[in-house]
């Protein structure tokens, strides 16, 4: 698939339920086999509820975008700036909090297209760096980010339900 056939579109409030659904599905597809059903349920109920997503879509420093092939959503990205970032130690940067592509579409260039959108957003805001956290056990994602020019620059805790996990902090200098 040619990634140029992808359209990147901001997610609107009217698409809240669609975003909740794809966020839940892609999160389960990525992590369910590695975590307990209870921890998965707790995380999904907390982070992907309609109320939470509506709040985030209304927040001026949080930005969601869908990757679309025609009318079909094949992935999404969530970007945070300023005080919306999950780490306060990176002022004047853009955070990629979430980037997911549906499993049947992996390897087709959609993740790279979503990352290109994050670079465009950061440059439009004159931000010199993008950062993200990635689970230290997700070797496929780590390798992808490294191919895209990100480098490891520390660790931070991530709690899924009641289980502490560890994320690598990865950065991309623009």
């Amino acid at each position: 698939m040619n990634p140029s056939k992808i359209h990147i579109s901001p997610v609107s409030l009217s698409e809240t339920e669609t975003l909740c659904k794809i966020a839940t599905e892609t999160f389960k597809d990525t992590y369910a086999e590695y975590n307990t059903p209870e921890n998965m349920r707790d995380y999904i109920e907390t982070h992907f509820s309609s109320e939470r997503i509506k709040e985030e879509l209304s927040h001026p420093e949080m930005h969601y975008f869908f990757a679309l092939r025609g009318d079909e959503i094949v992935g999404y990205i969530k970007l945070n700036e300023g005080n919306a970032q999950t780490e306060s130690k990176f002022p004047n940067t853009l955070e990629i909090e979430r980037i997911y592509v549906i499993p049947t579409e992996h390897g087709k260039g959609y993740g790279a297209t979503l990352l290109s959108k994050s670079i465009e957003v950061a440059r439009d805001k004159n931000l010199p760096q993008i950062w993200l956290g990635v689970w230290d056990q997700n070797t496929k994602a780590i390798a992808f980010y490294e191919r895209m020019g990100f480098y490891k620059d520390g660790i931070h805790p991530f709690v899924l339900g009641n289980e502490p996990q560890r994320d690598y902090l990865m950065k991309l200098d623009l």
Side-chain angles (χ1 to χ4, degrees), residues 114-160:
L114 285 164
L115 278 176
S116 292
K117 180 62 178 180
S118 69
I119 292 168
E120 176 187 320
V121 169
R123 286 189 172 143
D124 286 349
K125 294 177 179 295
N126 294 313
L127 299 172
Q129 196 172 64
I130 297 172
W131 72 275
L132 56 83
V134 60
W135 185 36
D136 67 354
Q137 302 299 307
N138 193 343
T139 56
K140 184 177 173 184
I142 293 165
F144 168 73
Y145 296 129
E146 288 175 336
R147 281 193 311 276
M148 299 304 292
F150 283 79
Y151 58 92
K152 293 176 188 166
D153 189 44
I155 59 171
H156 75 161
F158 178 84
V159 179
L160 188 89

Side-chain angles (χ1 to χ4, degrees), residues 46-173:
T46 301
H47 292 87
F48 302 135
S49 71
S50 294
E51 297 77 22
R52 173 85 176 249
I53 295 293
K54 282 179 187 173
E55 287 174 14
E56 292 179 351
L57 285 169
S58 299
H59 194 292
E61 294 180 315
M62 293 181 176
H63 315 283
Y64 279 98
F65 296 91
F66 281 139
L68 300 145
R69 182 183 56 224
D71 292 334
E72 179 187 7
I73 298 168
V74 294
Y76 79 98
I77 192 166
K78 179 186 179 195
L79 307 175
N80 300 322
E81 60 178 304
N83 293 325
Q85 295 182 83
T86 60
E87 285 279 351
S88 61
K89 63 184 174 183
F90 302 124
N92 201 36
T93 62
L94 183 72
E95 174 190 16
I96 299 174
E97 184 178 351
R98 296 188 191 118
I99 179 170
Y100 288 95
V101 173
I102 61 173
T104 58
E105 303 302 324
H106 286 184
K108 297 181 180 179
Y110 303 139
T113 301
L114 285 164
L115 278 176
S116 292
K117 180 62 178 180
S118 69
I119 292 168
E120 176 187 320
V121 169
R123 286 189 172 143
D124 286 349
K125 294 177 179 295
N126 294 313
L127 299 172
Q129 196 172 64
I130 297 172
W131 72 275
L132 56 83
V134 60
W135 185 36
D136 67 354
Q137 302 299 307
N138 193 343
T139 56
K140 184 177 173 184
I142 293 165
F144 168 73
Y145 296 129
E146 288 175 336
R147 281 193 311 276
M148 299 304 292
F150 283 79
Y151 58 92
K152 293 176 188 166
D153 189 44
I155 59 171
H156 75 161
F158 178 84
V159 179
L160 188 89
N162 65 5
E163 181 182 341
Q165 298 181 356
R166 186 174 81 155
D167 279 4
Y168 289 124
L169 296 176
M170 298 187 76
K171 294 181 178 176
L172 175 68
D173 298 323

